[in-house]
Amino acid sequence: MISNKMKSKRYVGLLYIAPWLLGFLIFQLYPFIASFCYSFTDYTLLNQPQFVGLKNYLTLFTTDKQFLSTMKITGFYALLSVPLKLAFALFIAILLNAKIKGIGIYRSLYYLPSILGGSVAVSVLWRVIFMKDGMINHFIGLLGLGPVNWLTDANLALITLSLLQVWQFGSAMVIFLAALKGIPAELYEAASIDGSGKWNQFLHITLPQISSVVFFNLIMQSIQALQNFTSAFVITGGGPMKRTYIIGMKLYDDAFRFYKVGYACAESWILFLVILALTLLVFKSSDAWVYYADEGGSKK
C-alpha cells in the first residue's frame, strides 16, 4: 500500500512539472496536431475551415512552382552552411581543448555568437556590416579593391546568409568540446610513440571517437538551417530575385500575408517530413559508420 505521504510527494512532483506540461500541451502538442488537421482544409483565418482533402498537397507539387524553388534554395542553404559550421566548430573546439591559462574565458567568448546569433538585432547588424558602404567593404577598400554587393548580388546573397549561420557555431562547438574531453589521452600517447602525426591522429583517433557526436550535431544543425527564417527575413527580405526566399519565408507569407493558413500548414508538414527523412538517413549513416569502424578495428 502506498502511504499518504508518498502520494503527497507524487502530487508535489506533478505540481513542479505542471508549468512545463501545460506549455508542452498548449504551445507544442496542440499546434502540432492542429496544423496537421488544418493542412487538409481551406482555412484563411477569416472563415471556418473547409475540408478539401489532399488538394493543398497536390497544389504544392503540381502548380506551385515557387514551393519547389524555395525548397531547393533552402536545401542549398543547408548544404552550404551546415558543413562549414560543423568544420569550423570542430576546429575551434580542438583549439579550445588545449590546457592553457585562462582557457575558460576564451571558451565563453567563443560561445557568445551562439547566444546572440539568432536575434533580430544581430541580423540587422549583419545587414549593416555587409551593406555596400558597410564595414566589410571598408576593409576591402583598404586593400585597393572595389566594393562587393554582398546583399544585392544574386550569386552572393545566400552565401552572406550562410556566413551568419556559420558564425553561430557556439552550441556545436561546446558539444564537440565535451566529446573531445572524453577521448582517453592514452590513445594519443600510444599513437605518438608509434610515430603517428597530428593529422593521422585526427583521422584515426579523434574522428572515430566523436563520430556519434558529429552525427548528432549534423542532425541538429541541419534542422536549424532548414527552419531558418529570421536572417532571410531581416537581412534580404527574400531578395534579390527571390534567391534567398527560403521555405521559412514562404510559410510566413502564405500564412500571415495571404492568410492561406491551411496551405501553409501543408507546407510545414512537407518540411517536417523532409527533416524526418534526413534524420533517419543520418541515423542509418551513423549505424553504417559504427559498423565499419568496428569491423575495421576487429580486423586490425
Side-chain angles (χ1 to χ4, degrees):
M1 296 293 292
I2 301 177
S3 64
N4 292 331
K5 188 175 182 181
M6 291 293 293
K7 288 182 178 180
S8 63
K9 287 185 177 181
R10 182 177 298 177
Y11 291 138
V12 170
L14 290 174
L15 183 63
Y16 276 119
I17 65 172
W20 181 88
L21 283 175
L22 290 174
F24 173 75
L25 293 174
I26 297 173
F27 298 110
Q28 293 186 16
L29 184 61
Y30 171 74
F32 185 80
I33 297 174
S35 67
F36 180 74
C37 297
Y38 287 145
S39 69
F40 298 100
T41 65
D42 179 13
Y43 182 36
T44 64
L45 288 180
L46 303 176
N47 63 343
Q48 291 296 323
Q50 302 292 327
F51 181 76
V52 294
L54 296 175
K55 180 181 177 181
N56 290 330
Y57 292 96
L58 293 175
T59 302
L60 286 174
F61 293 102
T62 55
T63 59
D64 191 353
K65 296 181 180 180
Q66 194 174 70
F67 172 73
L68 296 178
S69 175
T70 55
M71 290 297 291
K72 290 179 181 178
I73 293 172
T74 306
F76 182 72
Y77 170 76
L79 287 174
L80 184 63
S81 61
V82 173
L84 287 175
K85 184 176 183 178
L86 293 183
F88 194 59
L90 180 56
F91 174 72
I92 298 298
I94 292 174
L95 294 180
L96 296 180
N97 194 36
K99 296 180 180 180
I100 60 176
K101 187 177 181 180
I103 192 65
I105 299 175
Y106 292 108
R107 291 170 183 168
S108 301
L109 290 175
Y110 275 103
Y111 184 67
L112 284 178
S114 180
I115 300 174
L116 305 174
S119 67
V120 174
V122 172
S123 296
V124 172
L125 178 63
W126 203 260
R127 184 179 64 185
V128 172
I129 291 174
F130 282 91
M131 288 173 62
K132 191 172 183 179
D133 56 349
M135 184 185 300
I136 301 298
N137 280 333
H138 173 72
F139 288 120
I140 292 177
L142 296 178
L143 299 175
L145 302 175
V148 179
N149 297 320
W150 298 100
L151 303 178
T152 57
D153 189 326
N155 297 319
L156 294 177
L158 194 63
I159 297 176
T160 305
L161 292 185
S162 301
L163 292 177
L164 177 57
Q165 179 77 5
V166 174
W167 186 68
Q168 305 171 52
F169 66 90
S171 58
M173 180 269 294
V174 169
I175 297 174
F176 277 137
L177 184 59
L180 291 173
K181 287 188 171 298
I183 301 176
E186 294 81 4
L187 296 177
Y188 294 106
E189 294 174 358
S192 298
I193 294 173
D194 290 339
S196 178
K198 294 294 183 181
W199 178 246
N200 284 329
Q201 291 180 24
F202 174 76
L203 290 178
H204 300 291
I205 297 177
T206 305
L207 278 183
Q209 288 290 319
I210 65 171
S211 60
S212 59
V213 175
V214 172
F215 285 114
F216 173 79
N217 270 334
L218 177 62
I219 291 174
M220 299 305 296
Q221 300 306 322
S222 298
I223 292 173
Q224 183 180 354
L226 292 172
Q227 293 181 330
N228 182 43
F229 166 77
T230 305
S231 60
F233 181 77
V234 175
I235 298 174
T236 62
M241 299 170 58
K242 298 286 186 178
R243 295 297 290 271
T244 60
Y245 194 64
I246 58 179
I247 187 62
M249 285 201 63
K250 184 169 177 16
L251 281 168
Y252 172 83
D253 287 342
D254 286 338
F256 301 109
R257 288 185 60 193
F258 307 124
Y259 302 109
K260 298 189 296 183
V261 177
Y263 192 72
C265 288
E267 291 174 326
S268 68
W269 272 88
I270 294 298
L271 178 61
F272 169 76
L273 292 176
V274 170
I275 293 175
L276 178 62
L278 177 63
T279 303
L280 294 176
L281 178 62
V282 172
F283 269 113
K284 289 292 184 180
S285 301
S286 64
D287 291 341
W289 170 264
V290 172
Y291 174 79
Y292 173 80
D294 290 343
E295 286 295 310
S298 61
K299 289 179 181 179
K300 291 178 183 180

Short mmCIF file of all heavy atoms in Angstrom, two decimals, residues 46-88:
data_model
loop_
_atom_site.label_atom_id
_atom_site.label_comp_id
_atom_site.label_asym_id
_atom_site.label_seq_id
_atom_site.Cartn_x
_atom_site.Cartn_y
_atom_site.Cartn_z
N LEU A 46 -10.22 33.93 -41.79
CA LEU A 46 -11.43 34.77 -41.90
C LEU A 46 -12.68 33.93 -42.08
O LEU A 46 -13.79 34.47 -42.06
CB LEU A 46 -11.29 35.74 -43.09
CG LEU A 46 -10.06 36.66 -43.04
CD1 LEU A 46 -9.99 37.50 -44.31
CD2 LEU A 46 -10.11 37.55 -41.81
N ASN A 47 -12.53 32.64 -42.28
CA ASN A 47 -13.69 31.76 -42.44
C ASN A 47 -13.45 30.46 -41.69
O ASN A 47 -12.36 30.20 -41.21
CB ASN A 47 -13.93 31.48 -43.93
CG ASN A 47 -12.76 30.74 -44.56
OD1 ASN A 47 -11.67 30.71 -44.00
ND2 ASN A 47 -12.99 30.14 -45.71
N GLN A 48 -14.47 29.67 -41.63
CA GLN A 48 -14.35 28.37 -40.98
C GLN A 48 -13.59 27.41 -41.89
O GLN A 48 -13.72 27.48 -43.12
CB GLN A 48 -15.75 27.81 -40.70
CG GLN A 48 -16.52 28.56 -39.63
CD GLN A 48 -15.86 28.47 -38.26
OE1 GLN A 48 -15.30 27.43 -37.90
NE2 GLN A 48 -15.92 29.55 -37.50
N PRO A 49 -12.77 26.54 -41.32
CA PRO A 49 -12.02 25.58 -42.15
C PRO A 49 -12.95 24.70 -42.97
O PRO A 49 -13.92 24.15 -42.44
CB PRO A 49 -11.24 24.77 -41.12
CG PRO A 49 -11.18 25.62 -39.90
CD PRO A 49 -12.45 26.40 -39.88
N GLN A 50 -12.67 24.59 -44.26
CA GLN A 50 -13.43 23.74 -45.17
C GLN A 50 -12.54 22.59 -45.62
O GLN A 50 -11.47 22.81 -46.19
CB GLN A 50 -13.91 24.54 -46.38
CG GLN A 50 -14.78 25.75 -46.04
CD GLN A 50 -16.13 25.34 -45.46
OE1 GLN A 50 -16.68 24.31 -45.83
NE2 GLN A 50 -16.64 26.15 -44.54
N PHE A 51 -12.99 21.37 -45.38
CA PHE A 51 -12.18 20.20 -45.72
C PHE A 51 -12.04 20.08 -47.24
O PHE A 51 -13.03 20.10 -47.98
CB PHE A 51 -12.83 18.92 -45.16
CG PHE A 51 -12.05 17.68 -45.44
CD1 PHE A 51 -10.90 17.38 -44.73
CD2 PHE A 51 -12.48 16.80 -46.44
CE1 PHE A 51 -10.19 16.24 -45.00
CE2 PHE A 51 -11.76 15.65 -46.70
CZ PHE A 51 -10.62 15.36 -45.98
N VAL A 52 -10.78 19.97 -47.71
CA VAL A 52 -10.51 19.85 -49.15
C VAL A 52 -9.66 18.62 -49.47
O VAL A 52 -9.20 18.47 -50.60
CB VAL A 52 -9.81 21.13 -49.67
CG1 VAL A 52 -10.73 22.32 -49.59
CG2 VAL A 52 -8.49 21.38 -48.93
N GLY A 53 -9.43 17.78 -48.50
CA GLY A 53 -8.66 16.56 -48.73
C GLY A 53 -7.19 16.85 -49.03
O GLY A 53 -6.55 17.64 -48.34
N LEU A 54 -6.69 16.25 -50.08
CA LEU A 54 -5.28 16.37 -50.44
C LEU A 54 -5.02 17.52 -51.41
O LEU A 54 -3.93 17.60 -52.00
CB LEU A 54 -4.78 15.07 -51.07
CG LEU A 54 -4.79 13.83 -50.16
CD1 LEU A 54 -4.39 12.60 -50.95
CD2 LEU A 54 -3.86 14.01 -48.96
N LYS A 55 -5.97 18.41 -51.57
CA LYS A 55 -5.83 19.48 -52.55
C LYS A 55 -4.60 20.34 -52.29
O LYS A 55 -3.86 20.69 -53.22
CB LYS A 55 -7.08 20.35 -52.55
CG LYS A 55 -7.03 21.51 -53.55
CD LYS A 55 -8.27 22.37 -53.49
CE LYS A 55 -8.15 23.55 -54.45
NZ LYS A 55 -9.36 24.42 -54.39
N ASN A 56 -4.36 20.71 -51.02
CA ASN A 56 -3.21 21.56 -50.70
C ASN A 56 -1.90 20.87 -51.07
O ASN A 56 -0.99 21.51 -51.63
CB ASN A 56 -3.21 21.91 -49.21
CG ASN A 56 -4.33 22.86 -48.84
OD1 ASN A 56 -4.76 23.68 -49.65
ND2 ASN A 56 -4.81 22.76 -47.61
N TYR A 57 -1.80 19.60 -50.78
CA TYR A 57 -0.57 18.87 -51.08
C TYR A 57 -0.38 18.70 -52.58
O TYR A 57 0.75 18.79 -53.09
CB TYR A 57 -0.59 17.51 -50.38
CG TYR A 57 -0.51 17.60 -48.88
CD1 TYR A 57 -1.67 17.56 -48.10
CD2 TYR A 57 0.71 17.72 -48.24
CE1 TYR A 57 -1.59 17.65 -46.72
CE2 TYR A 57 0.80 17.80 -46.86
CZ TYR A 57 -0.36 17.77 -46.10
OH TYR A 57 -0.28 17.86 -44.74
N LEU A 58 -1.47 18.44 -53.30
CA LEU A 58 -1.36 18.30 -54.75
C LEU A 58 -0.96 19.62 -55.40
O LEU A 58 -0.16 19.65 -56.34
CB LEU A 58 -2.70 17.82 -55.32
CG LEU A 58 -3.11 16.39 -54.93
CD1 LEU A 58 -4.50 16.08 -55.46
CD2 LEU A 58 -2.11 15.37 -55.45
N THR A 59 -1.50 20.73 -54.86
CA THR A 59 -1.16 22.04 -55.40
C THR A 59 0.33 22.35 -55.21
O THR A 59 0.97 22.94 -56.08
CB THR A 59 -2.01 23.14 -54.73
OG1 THR A 59 -3.39 22.85 -54.94
CG2 THR A 59 -1.69 24.50 -55.31
N LEU A 60 0.87 21.93 -54.08
CA LEU A 60 2.28 22.19 -53.80
C LEU A 60 3.19 21.59 -54.86
O LEU A 60 4.19 22.21 -55.27
CB LEU A 60 2.65 21.62 -52.42
CG LEU A 60 2.15 22.39 -51.19
CD1 LEU A 60 2.47 21.61 -49.93
CD2 LEU A 60 2.79 23.76 -51.14
N PHE A 61 2.87 20.39 -55.32
CA PHE A 61 3.76 19.67 -56.22
C PHE A 61 3.33 19.73 -57.69
O PHE A 61 4.04 19.19 -58.54
CB PHE A 61 3.86 18.20 -55.79
CG PHE A 61 4.55 18.02 -54.46
CD1 PHE A 61 3.80 17.78 -53.31
CD2 PHE A 61 5.92 18.10 -54.36
CE1 PHE A 61 4.43 17.61 -52.09
CE2 PHE A 61 6.55 17.93 -53.14
CZ PHE A 61 5.81 17.70 -52.00
N THR A 62 2.22 20.38 -57.97
CA THR A 62 1.76 20.44 -59.36
C THR A 62 1.74 21.86 -59.92
O THR A 62 2.26 22.10 -61.03
CB THR A 62 0.36 19.82 -59.49
OG1 THR A 62 -0.55 20.46 -58.58
CG2 THR A 62 0.41 18.32 -59.19
N THR A 63 1.19 22.81 -59.17
CA THR A 63 1.02 24.16 -59.72
C THR A 63 1.85 25.22 -59.01
O THR A 63 2.12 26.27 -59.59
CB THR A 63 -0.47 24.58 -59.65
OG1 THR A 63 -0.90 24.55 -58.28
CG2 THR A 63 -1.32 23.63 -60.49
N ASP A 64 2.27 24.97 -57.79
CA ASP A 64 3.04 25.96 -57.05
C ASP A 64 4.52 25.76 -57.32
O ASP A 64 5.23 25.06 -56.58
CB ASP A 64 2.73 25.87 -55.55
CG ASP A 64 3.31 27.04 -54.77
OD1 ASP A 64 4.05 27.84 -55.36
OD2 ASP A 64 3.00 27.16 -53.57
N LYS A 65 5.02 26.35 -58.39
CA LYS A 65 6.43 26.22 -58.74
C LYS A 65 7.34 26.90 -57.73
O LYS A 65 8.50 26.52 -57.57
CB LYS A 65 6.67 26.79 -60.14
CG LYS A 65 5.94 26.03 -61.23
CD LYS A 65 6.24 26.63 -62.60
CE LYS A 65 5.51 25.87 -63.70
NZ LYS A 65 5.77 26.44 -65.04
N GLN A 66 6.81 27.92 -57.05
CA GLN A 66 7.63 28.64 -56.08
C GLN A 66 7.97 27.77 -54.88
O GLN A 66 9.03 27.93 -54.26
CB GLN A 66 6.90 29.90 -55.63
CG GLN A 66 7.78 30.89 -54.89
CD GLN A 66 7.05 32.17 -54.59
OE1 GLN A 66 6.14 32.22 -53.78
NE2 GLN A 66 7.44 33.24 -55.27
N PHE A 67 7.07 26.84 -54.54
CA PHE A 67 7.35 25.96 -53.41
C PHE A 67 8.58 25.10 -53.68
O PHE A 67 9.47 24.99 -52.83
CB PHE A 67 6.14 25.06 -53.13
CG PHE A 67 6.40 24.00 -52.10
CD1 PHE A 67 6.51 24.33 -50.76
CD2 PHE A 67 6.56 22.67 -52.48
CE1 PHE A 67 6.77 23.35 -49.81
CE2 PHE A 67 6.81 21.70 -51.54
CZ PHE A 67 6.92 22.03 -50.20
N LEU A 68 8.64 24.47 -54.84
CA LEU A 68 9.81 23.65 -55.17
C LEU A 68 11.07 24.49 -55.26
O LEU A 68 12.15 24.05 -54.87
CB LEU A 68 9.56 22.92 -56.49
CG LEU A 68 8.41 21.90 -56.48
CD1 LEU A 68 8.23 21.28 -57.87
CD2 LEU A 68 8.66 20.82 -55.44
N SER A 69 10.92 25.73 -55.75
CA SER A 69 12.08 26.63 -55.82
C SER A 69 12.60 26.97 -54.44
O SER A 69 13.82 26.95 -54.20
CB SER A 69 11.70 27.90 -56.58
OG SER A 69 12.76 28.83 -56.58
N THR A 70 11.70 27.28 -53.51
CA THR A 70 12.12 27.61 -52.15
C THR A 70 12.74 26.40 -51.45
O THR A 70 13.69 26.55 -50.68
CB THR A 70 10.94 28.14 -51.32
OG1 THR A 70 9.87 27.17 -51.35
CG2 THR A 70 10.42 29.45 -51.87
N MET A 71 12.24 25.21 -51.73
CA MET A 71 12.82 24.02 -51.13
C MET A 71 14.24 23.79 -51.64
O MET A 71 15.13 23.40 -50.88
CB MET A 71 11.94 22.79 -51.44
CG MET A 71 10.61 22.79 -50.71
SD MET A 71 10.77 22.73 -48.90
CE MET A 71 11.38 21.07 -48.67
N LYS A 72 14.47 24.05 -52.93
CA LYS A 72 15.81 23.91 -53.48
C LYS A 72 16.76 24.94 -52.87
O LYS A 72 17.90 24.61 -52.51
CB LYS A 72 15.76 24.08 -55.00
CG LYS A 72 15.09 22.93 -55.74
CD LYS A 72 15.06 23.20 -57.23
CE LYS A 72 14.36 22.08 -57.98
NZ LYS A 72 14.27 22.34 -59.44
N ILE A 73 16.27 26.18 -52.74
CA ILE A 73 17.11 27.23 -52.15
C ILE A 73 17.43 26.89 -50.70
O ILE A 73 18.57 27.05 -50.24
CB ILE A 73 16.40 28.59 -52.26
CG1 ILE A 73 16.30 29.02 -53.72
CG2 ILE A 73 17.14 29.65 -51.44
CD1 ILE A 73 15.46 30.25 -53.95
N THR A 74 16.42 26.41 -49.96
CA THR A 74 16.64 26.04 -48.56
C THR A 74 17.62 24.88 -48.45
O THR A 74 18.49 24.87 -47.56
CB THR A 74 15.30 25.66 -47.90
OG1 THR A 74 14.36 26.71 -48.08
CG2 THR A 74 15.49 25.39 -46.42
N GLY A 75 17.50 23.89 -49.33
CA GLY A 75 18.43 22.77 -49.32
C GLY A 75 19.85 23.21 -49.63
O GLY A 75 20.80 22.75 -48.98
N PHE A 76 20.00 24.10 -50.60
CA PHE A 76 21.33 24.61 -50.92
C PHE A 76 21.90 25.41 -49.75
O PHE A 76 23.10 25.32 -49.45
CB PHE A 76 21.27 25.47 -52.18
CG PHE A 76 22.60 26.01 -52.62
CD1 PHE A 76 23.55 25.18 -53.19
CD2 PHE A 76 22.91 27.34 -52.44
CE1 PHE A 76 24.79 25.66 -53.59
CE2 PHE A 76 24.14 27.84 -52.84
CZ PHE A 76 25.08 27.00 -53.41
N TYR A 77 21.04 26.18 -49.10
CA TYR A 77 21.46 26.95 -47.93
C TYR A 77 21.97 26.03 -46.83
O TYR A 77 23.01 26.29 -46.20
CB TYR A 77 20.29 27.79 -47.45
CG TYR A 77 20.49 28.45 -46.11
CD1 TYR A 77 21.29 29.58 -45.99
CD2 TYR A 77 19.87 27.95 -44.97
CE1 TYR A 77 21.47 30.20 -44.76
CE2 TYR A 77 20.05 28.56 -43.74
CZ TYR A 77 20.85 29.68 -43.64
OH TYR A 77 21.02 30.29 -42.42
N ALA A 78 21.25 24.92 -46.59
CA ALA A 78 21.67 23.97 -45.56
C ALA A 78 22.96 23.27 -45.96
O ALA A 78 23.86 23.09 -45.13
CB ALA A 78 20.56 22.95 -45.32
N LEU A 79 23.08 22.87 -47.24
CA LEU A 79 24.29 22.20 -47.70
C LEU A 79 25.51 23.11 -47.63
O LEU A 79 26.63 22.66 -47.44
CB LEU A 79 24.10 21.71 -49.14
CG LEU A 79 23.18 20.49 -49.32
CD1 LEU A 79 22.97 20.22 -50.80
CD2 LEU A 79 23.75 19.26 -48.63
N LEU A 80 25.27 24.41 -47.80
CA LEU A 80 26.37 25.36 -47.77
C LEU A 80 26.79 25.71 -46.34
O LEU A 80 27.99 25.80 -46.03
CB LEU A 80 25.97 26.63 -48.52
CG LEU A 80 27.03 27.72 -48.68
CD1 LEU A 80 28.20 27.21 -49.51
CD2 LEU A 80 26.42 28.96 -49.33
N SER A 81 25.83 25.91 -45.47
CA SER A 81 26.12 26.44 -44.14
C SER A 81 26.47 25.36 -43.12
O SER A 81 27.38 25.55 -42.30
CB SER A 81 24.94 27.27 -43.63
OG SER A 81 23.77 26.47 -43.52
N VAL A 82 25.77 24.22 -43.15
CA VAL A 82 25.95 23.21 -42.09
C VAL A 82 27.35 22.60 -42.10
O VAL A 82 28.01 22.54 -41.05
CB VAL A 82 24.86 22.13 -42.18
CG1 VAL A 82 25.15 20.99 -41.20
CG2 VAL A 82 23.49 22.73 -41.89
N PRO A 83 27.88 22.10 -43.23
CA PRO A 83 29.24 21.55 -43.19
C PRO A 83 30.29 22.57 -42.77
O PRO A 83 31.20 22.24 -41.99
CB PRO A 83 29.47 21.09 -44.64
CG PRO A 83 28.11 20.87 -45.20
CD PRO A 83 27.25 21.92 -44.55
N LEU A 84 30.17 23.81 -43.26
CA LEU A 84 31.11 24.85 -42.86
C LEU A 84 31.01 25.12 -41.36
O LEU A 84 32.03 25.28 -40.68
CB LEU A 84 30.85 26.13 -43.64
CG LEU A 84 31.26 26.13 -45.11
CD1 LEU A 84 30.82 27.43 -45.78
CD2 LEU A 84 32.76 25.95 -45.25
N LYS A 85 29.80 25.15 -40.86
CA LYS A 85 29.59 25.42 -39.44
C LYS A 85 30.18 24.32 -38.58
O LYS A 85 30.86 24.58 -37.57
CB LYS A 85 28.10 25.57 -39.16
CG LYS A 85 27.75 25.94 -37.74
CD LYS A 85 26.26 26.16 -37.60
CE LYS A 85 25.87 26.61 -36.21
NZ LYS A 85 24.41 26.86 -36.10
N LEU A 86 29.95 23.07 -38.96
CA LEU A 86 30.47 21.94 -38.18
C LEU A 86 31.99 21.88 -38.24
O LEU A 86 32.65 21.61 -37.23
CB LEU A 86 29.86 20.64 -38.69
CG LEU A 86 28.36 20.45 -38.46
CD1 LEU A 86 27.91 19.09 -38.97
CD2 LEU A 86 27.99 20.62 -37.00
N ALA A 87 32.54 22.12 -39.43
CA ALA A 87 34.01 22.10 -39.56
C ALA A 87 34.64 23.20 -38.72
O ALA A 87 35.65 22.97 -38.03
CB ALA A 87 34.40 22.25 -41.04
N PHE A 88 34.06 24.38 -38.77
CA PHE A 88 34.60 25.50 -38.01
C PHE A 88 34.44 25.25 -36.51
O PHE A 88 35.35 25.54 -35.72
CB PHE A 88 33.89 26.79 -38.41
CG PHE A 88 34.57 28.03 -37.94
CD1 PHE A 88 35.88 28.31 -38.30
CD2 PHE A 88 33.91 28.94 -37.12
CE1 PHE A 88 36.52 29.47 -37.86
CE2 PHE A 88 34.53 30.09 -36.67
CZ PHE A 88 35.84 30.35 -37.04
#
